[in-house]
Amino acid sequence: MTTEAERQDTTAAYEVRPPRGMLWWALPGLVVSVALALSFLVYDGYGVITMGLAGLVGVLYFGRLCSLLLRGRTVADGKGLVYGRHGSLQLVRWKQIKELRTLSTPFGRRVMVVRKGGTAGVFALAAPREGLLGRTPDFDRALADLVARCTGKKVRVQAVKGVGLVGTVGWTLGLLLAVQLVEFPWQETWWPGNKEAGTLPRACRVVDEGTVRGLVPGAVNDDRFHDDGDPFQTSACHWGVAGRKEGLELRLQRYSREGGSGGTANARDRMRTFLLLADSRPVRGVGEQAWQITEPGGAERAAPDGLRRVQLLARRHNVVALVDYTARDRPADEMERAAADLARRALGQVRFG
């Protein structure tokens, strides 16, 4: 710590360090930035690119700032300024310095060194410095004490203004808006005009008990197969007969955006995998796309035990409904109509847009 006598003695080296009080917000800022940079590990929805980029910028900024606050210092003597920002020390001689500038920002002031032509360049000193929650006592006096060490000539000190508060806010908002160009907000369900669904109805409430009994006599809701995962993403229900293979299952899946691919595009991909299966046939009048598989199909006789199975996959925008219907001694066309009606009813209860 420089004593008062050393301050007044212009022949003695004078040292000043940055205010440690700024660490009260710089360290939490670094922690938050690291969390944002790693947010993609636990989150893959809208805003993940913005958070990741903001986190990376924050890590670089707050990391350097914390290093500067902990290790930075400025020492002045008759030769010049010895400055250290991240541990290493460098000397710039007084004859190399064109001027010193005090740069005012919305959060405080800092000192910039402007070198002369042959060694052109502008760099910031670690101290004296003012910042949020950190002030260098007698900033102007500390700067005057640094300049007083120059015995060869007078070093000009000029006050300049940096980007003001309005400019800082404007640049920040501009960068955030620019990042949105790669966030594809128009693929989100809340975007005006987007017809995609943001929620799903419960599959068990789509079909009434009377309809179930007509399709599968004696069937009850089988809790072992009941599935309501994320209430906004999946819902499934199964009705079956104890000890028998007959049954009815309805499954709803809502697809959302992943990276640059929207929910509707991902739902189409799911349909594409189903239509590649053997014996799948298109179905008209159910959603925007519908495919089914009937085993045995058409007028073919049912299996020896009389069982027949119909699987129908239908899509409307970003929602896919799967109907899996197994019955005994029933015509294929009757089962196919029932599956189509059930899929149509399920998609009709989804709220789109």
Side-chain angles (χ1 to χ4, degrees):
M1 185 71 179
T2 306
T3 65
E4 184 64 25
E6 290 173 325
R7 285 179 180 272
Q8 298 176 357
D9 181 7
T10 59
T11 62
Y14 173 56
E15 178 178 332
V16 59
R17 291 181 177 273
R20 298 291 179 87
M22 294 173 64
L23 289 170
W24 284 104
W25 65 272
L27 283 175
L30 179 60
V31 173
V32 172
S33 297
V34 171
L36 289 175
L38 299 178
S39 61
F40 70 93
L41 297 176
V42 295
Y43 175 69
D44 190 30
Y46 178 76
V48 66
I49 298 177
T50 300
M51 290 190 296
L53 291 177
L56 289 176
V57 172
V59 168
L60 294 175
Y61 173 77
F62 288 111
R64 287 176 58 84
L65 180 58
C66 290
S67 174
L68 182 145
L69 295 175
L70 292 171
R71 308 171 67 186
R73 62 174 177 163
T74 302
V75 181
D77 57 20
K79 295 180 180 180
L81 291 175
V82 176
Y83 63 96
R85 287 176 292 185
H86 305 286
S88 61
L89 298 177
Q90 299 185 53
L91 170 65
V92 56
R93 297 185 180 277
W94 291 115
K95 63 181 181 180
Q96 297 175 311
I97 297 176
K98 179 179 179 181
E99 67 180 13
L100 298 179
R101 295 175 182 173
T102 57
L103 179 65
S104 298
T105 70
F107 305 106
R109 292 184 294 173
R110 54 182 173 169
V111 179
M112 310 295 295
V113 177
V114 182
R115 296 189 182 190
K116 291 182 179 179
T119 54
V122 180
F123 61 90
L125 294 177
R129 175 182 294 259
E130 293 179 336
L132 186 64
L133 299 183
R135 292 289 186 266
T136 297
D138 301 325
F139 178 93
D140 294 315
R141 180 180 175 182
L143 179 58
D145 286 338
L146 287 177
V147 176
R149 268 56 187 177
C150 177
T151 57
K153 65 180 182 64
K154 184 177 180 180
V155 176
R156 183 175 64 172
V157 178
Q158 181 180 1
V160 296
K161 289 186 177 181
V163 180
L165 181 59
V166 175
T168 301
V169 174
W171 273 103
T172 302
L173 292 178
L175 289 173
L176 289 176
L177 290 175
V179 172
Q180 302 315 300
L181 296 177
V182 295
E183 288 281 13
F184 309 117
W186 50 87
Q187 293 182 349
E188 297 297 322
T189 57
W190 46 261
W191 186 261
N194 191 341
K195 299 300 184 181
E196 293 184 349
T199 59
L200 290 176
R202 290 196 62 185
C204 288
R205 296 179 181 177
V206 171
V207 190
D208 59 88
E209 294 184 4
T211 300
V212 174
R213 285 194 298 268
L215 296 176
V216 186
V220 296
N221 190 338
D222 193 337
D223 290 334
R224 292 176 302 170
F225 293 93
H226 179 74
D227 175 27
D228 268 330
D230 183 332
F232 300 104
Q233 293 294 127
T234 61
S235 183
C237 199
H238 184 275
W239 297 267
V241 181
R244 300 171 64 181
K245 296 181 179 179
E246 295 98 313
L248 175 66
E249 179 179 347
L250 172 64
R251 181 175 295 274
L252 296 172
Q253 176 76 46
R254 184 183 74 90
Y255 290 83
S256 45
R257 60 166 294 178
E258 293 181 7
S261 181
T264 299
N266 292 327
R268 288 197 191 100
D269 289 341
R270 173 67 179 93
M271 296 295 295
R272 191 174 296 113
T273 61
F274 192 79
L275 66 88
L276 293 176
L277 297 176
D279 300 326
S280 62
R281 296 182 291 112
V283 179
R284 297 184 179 275
V286 184
E288 298 172 13
Q289 286 179 290
W291 295 81
Q292 71 179 13
I293 298 175
T294 303
E295 298 175 335
E300 297 180 36
R301 296 182 56 185
D305 55 3
L307 291 177
R308 193 186 304 272
R309 183 184 184 187
V310 175
Q311 292 176 285
L312 185 144
L313 200 68
R315 179 189 68 82
R316 185 179 176 192
H317 299 307
N318 65 323
V319 175
V320 173
L322 169 65
V323 177
D324 193 342
Y325 177 30
T326 302
R328 189 184 302 273
D329 300 326
R330 291 212 172 185
D333 57 349
E334 178 182 321
M335 294 181 62
E336 291 170 354
R337 285 195 300 272
D341 289 342
L342 182 55
R344 193 179 297 110
R345 183 187 307 182
L347 293 176
Q349 293 190 24
V350 179
R351 182 178 179 179
F352 294 92

